[in-house]
Amino acid sequence: LGGYFAYRQSITDLEALQRAQVSFAAREIANFVGRVEGALVAASNKMTWGGPADLEDLRVELVVLLRHQPAIFEVHALDTDGREHLALSRVIRDRLQSGNDWSRDPNFLGARNGGKHVGQVMLRDGTEPHLMLAVGRKPDGAVLVADVNLKFVGEVIARIQAEFAGVAYVVDDSGQLIAHPETSVMLG
């Protein structure tokens, strides 16, 4: 009888440990997204473009943002009508005054009233999860939209040491797999 109670206690302790690990991972992920969002808000507070000098200042500000937030893959500066004035990327050439129309994009629409918008998670190249974050400076004002690489989320999950062949993974609200410690699962 004592063995049974010891077994039940060890299962209870293991469950508590796993809950603590998952809770820690959730806080880490929330902190990560919060830091990126905070950096976007800080950059958006400096957004003005009344002429070429202002646009150059904005470009410098966005370069600094990309340097300090390596998870940001691309950032787009949109005017009040949703026209792209500046886009910086880690992999493609920067675009100045492209005029690309984002006016119907849910990220622009979600943030244009001076708020924040968290878009859907998407898989870039079928394996790398990315999240669109958008922030607006003021109602009907300019908007910054960032494509954020969520590779960090996978690193957090990989650190969780689930015992008894347990596996920790992350899904979004629609059930799409975002992070799993085994890369082959993300590929399949």
Side-chain angles (χ1 to χ4, degrees):
L1 190 62
Y4 171 76
F5 288 114
Y7 169 76
R8 289 300 313 153
Q9 185 60 46
S10 67
I11 293 297
T12 301
D13 291 346
L14 178 60
E15 288 172 352
L17 174 64
Q18 288 174 337
R19 269 194 295 283
Q21 288 177 326
V22 168
S23 180
F24 173 77
R27 281 191 308 275
E28 285 290 302
I29 293 166
N31 289 341
F32 163 74
V33 172
R35 282 190 304 274
V36 173
E37 190 177 283
L40 272 176
V41 167
S44 76
N45 287 335
K46 299 174 183 176
M47 287 175 61
T48 59
W49 44 58
D54 294 337
L55 204 52
E56 181 57 26
D57 289 345
L58 177 62
R59 189 189 74 72
V60 169
E61 196 61 44
L62 296 183
V63 166
V64 170
L65 176 67
L66 287 173
R67 282 198 182 135
H68 290 173
Q69 295 295 327
I72 296 178
F73 189 72
E74 291 180 359
V75 63
H76 306 267
L78 313 176
D79 69 12
T80 58
D81 296 323
R83 297 282 176 191
E84 184 180 85
H85 280 263
L86 184 60
L88 275 66
S89 172
R90 296 192 183 281
V91 294
I92 61 173
R93 183 179 218 110
D94 296 346
R95 294 186 306 270
L96 180 63
Q97 301 287 14
S98 74
N100 289 344
D101 185 4
W102 287 65
S103 64
R104 298 188 196 287
D105 186 279
N107 298 298
F108 171 74
L109 294 172
R112 78 178 291 214
N113 288 324
K116 301 170 191 168
H117 177 76
V118 179
Q120 290 296 108
V121 174
M122 61 192 167
L123 294 179
R124 188 177 289 274
D125 300 325
T127 61
E128 239 178 53
H130 283 243
L131 175 71
M132 298 299 280
L133 286 178
V135 297
R137 181 174 174 191
K138 58 185 180 182
D140 294 323
V143 172
L144 277 182
V145 179
D147 177 344
V148 181
N149 187 329
L150 296 178
K151 181 174 73 172
F152 168 80
V153 174
E155 293 168 1
V156 168
I157 295 304
R159 287 194 308 250
I160 293 178
Q161 298 297 318
E163 297 183 17
F164 297 111
V167 175
Y169 55 92
V170 176
V171 296
D172 67 8
D173 57 356
S174 69
Q176 177 180 324
L177 185 63
I178 295 173
H180 194 281
E182 292 183 35
T183 311
S184 63
V185 174
M186 292 296 293
L187 295 173

